Amino acid sequence: MVELGCLDGLDYLQWLRTGARAADILNCHQSKISRDAKKCQRIFGVRLSKRACEWRMSGDDSLLSAERQIHQKYRWNNDLPLRLDGQHWMRDDYEPLPLNGWLKGNFNYQAYEQPRFLLKKRIIDAWLCSAPDHPDDPDLAAIQLCSMPCQLTVKNNHPLVALGTSVTLDDIRRYPLLPLPDQSFPIVAAVLQSLGLDHHDPAVTSNSSLPVEDLVIGIASSLRIGRYGPDHVVLPIELPVTTGDVLMVPCEFADHPRTFTLVGQLRDHLRCLAAGMADLQIHQQV
C-alpha cells in the first residue's frame, strides 16, 4: 500500500493531464507530483506514457486498481475531497458552481471514452455527461438531473427563419448541419441521420449570397442555446429525441449521502439556470 497523498500524485496527473494543473489543485510543488507519480509506478509495476494528449497506463494494473478502490472508499466515507469532471459543453453551467467537498477537473472532454475510463478506474468519483448517449454500464449508476428537447438553431438572417412556423424537415434538409463532436452523441446522431438531416443540397449554399457559416444549422437545447450567441434563434420544429444532463457515479456510491447532497445541489443550480424555460424539466430526487 501507499499513502493517500502519494497515490494522489499519480491520479491527479493522469486525470488533469499536466503536473502543473495537478500541483495547482493539490496546492503543492510540481516536483512532488512528479516524485509521487514515479514512486507509484515503481511500486505497482506500471508505466505512464502520453498518447493523444492523455496519459495511458501500460503493465498489469490489477494491484493499482485494488489500491485505488480502497482509497476511493476512504475518500467517500471520511469526508475527503471527491473528484468531479464533465463534458466541455457543460463547463459554463457547472464549472463555476461552488461544491463543498468536490474538486472539479478540466471539463473539456468531447468524446466519452476518457472520462468513462477515469470513472471506472476510480481515478475520478463522478462525471457529468448527456442523455440519451450516457453509458449503459453495469458498474455505473446514471442519475438524470434534467430533460429538454433537442433543438435546431440557425442565425437570425438564415432563409429558414423567414418561413416561420411553416418550416418543414424538407426545408431543413436543404442546408448543412453542424457536425456533432466525434463519438459524443451516437444516439442523437442516428436520429438526425434517420431524418435525413446529415445531407444537404450543395447548390443551396453555393448559390446563396450568404457565407456558408451563416447557413449552417446547429444543434442545441434551451439550456445551451446561448452558446451560439444572441444572433441565433430556434427553428419551430420538433425532433423525436430528448436530451438532458446526467450524473454518473460508481454503483456502490449511488445511494451514498454525499451523492444525494451533490445531486440536490446540481438540481437546485439547474432550477436557477432554467428560470423561464418552460421546456426544461428538472428531475426529482430519488
Side-chain angles (χ1 to χ4, degrees):
M1 293 182 65
V2 295
E3 61 272 18
L4 284 169
C6 184
L7 186 55
D8 282 350
L10 178 66
D11 286 351
Y12 278 69
L13 177 62
Q14 192 166 6
W15 171 27
L16 301 171
R17 301 190 183 96
T18 70
R21 179 84 169 102
D24 181 57
I25 285 195
L26 289 172
N27 194 27
C28 66
H29 291 293
Q30 189 172 342
S31 58
K32 184 179 186 306
I33 300 296
S34 179
R35 288 195 305 271
D36 289 346
K38 289 178 180 178
K39 179 179 178 181
C40 285
Q41 291 176 76
R42 184 174 66 252
I43 291 173
F44 294 107
V46 295
R47 186 170 182 271
L48 276 184
S49 58
K50 210 164 197 180
R51 300 194 298 274
C53 299
E54 301 288 357
W55 288 105
R56 308 294 180 182
M57 191 80 71
S58 58
D60 183 358
D61 69 344
S62 55
L63 288 177
L64 174 59
S65 294
E67 186 81 353
R68 279 174 166 158
Q69 185 171 5
I70 293 170
H71 283 216
Q72 184 180 55
K73 287 182 178 180
Y74 189 84
R75 289 197 306 273
W76 276 85
N77 294 328
N78 290 274
D79 291 325
L80 293 177
L82 299 176
R83 308 160 189 173
L84 172 69
D85 217 324
Q87 300 307 107
H88 84 95
W89 54 87
M90 297 175 158
R91 181 172 186 169
D92 290 348
D93 293 324
Y94 294 109
E95 202 278 335
L97 176 64
L99 295 170
N100 290 335
W102 289 86
L103 298 172
K104 300 189 197 76
N106 296 321
F107 270 79
N108 62 359
Y109 297 104
Q110 292 265 11
Y112 282 5
E113 177 187 2
Q114 181 66 9
R116 180 180 181 179
F117 166 81
L118 294 173
L119 188 60
K120 287 178 69 70
K121 286 293 186 179
R122 316 296 182 123
I123 297 171
I124 64 174
D125 302 294
W127 164 42
L128 285 161
C129 58
S130 295
D133 290 291
H134 60 286
D136 181 11
D137 191 308
D139 297 325
L140 303 177
I143 303 168
Q144 186 134 7
L145 304 173
C146 65
S147 297
M148 48 202 158
C150 188
Q151 301 170 328
L152 299 177
T153 178
V154 294
K155 281 195 171 182
N156 51 24
N157 63 342
H158 197 288
L160 291 173
V161 175
L163 299 178
T165 57
S166 65
V167 67
T168 67
L169 283 175
D170 283 336
D171 297 322
I172 293 171
R173 291 185 186 107
R174 300 171 63 215
Y175 295 92
L177 191 69
L178 186 69
L180 288 166
D182 190 33
Q183 301 179 33
S184 294
F185 300 98
I187 295 176
V188 172
V191 171
L192 298 174
Q193 185 178 30
S194 71
L195 297 173
L197 299 180
D198 59 334
H199 295 89
H200 69 280
D201 183 355
V204 171
T205 53
S206 62
N207 294 330
S208 175
S209 60
L210 294 173
V212 173
E213 56 266 27
D214 285 0
L215 297 173
V216 171
I217 299 172
I219 303 155
S221 66
S222 54
L223 187 60
R224 300 191 171 101
I225 181 66
R227 305 293 184 272
Y228 286 94
D231 59 344
H232 276 72
V233 297
V234 174
L235 293 176
I237 195 159
E238 187 175 338
L239 297 176
V241 62
T242 299
T243 186
D245 295 354
V246 176
L247 180 72
M248 305 291 299
V249 296
C251 283
E252 64 186 284
F253 301 115
D255 296 325
H256 197 284
R258 298 183 73 177
T259 300
F260 289 135
T261 299
L262 175 62
V263 170
Q265 289 179 285
L266 295 175
R267 285 177 173 155
D268 287 345
H269 179 62
L270 283 168
R271 288 186 184 94
C272 295
L273 295 177
M277 299 179 187
D279 61 355
L280 193 150
Q281 177 190 357
I282 309 298
H283 288 228
Q284 298 300 312
Q285 186 98 9
V286 178

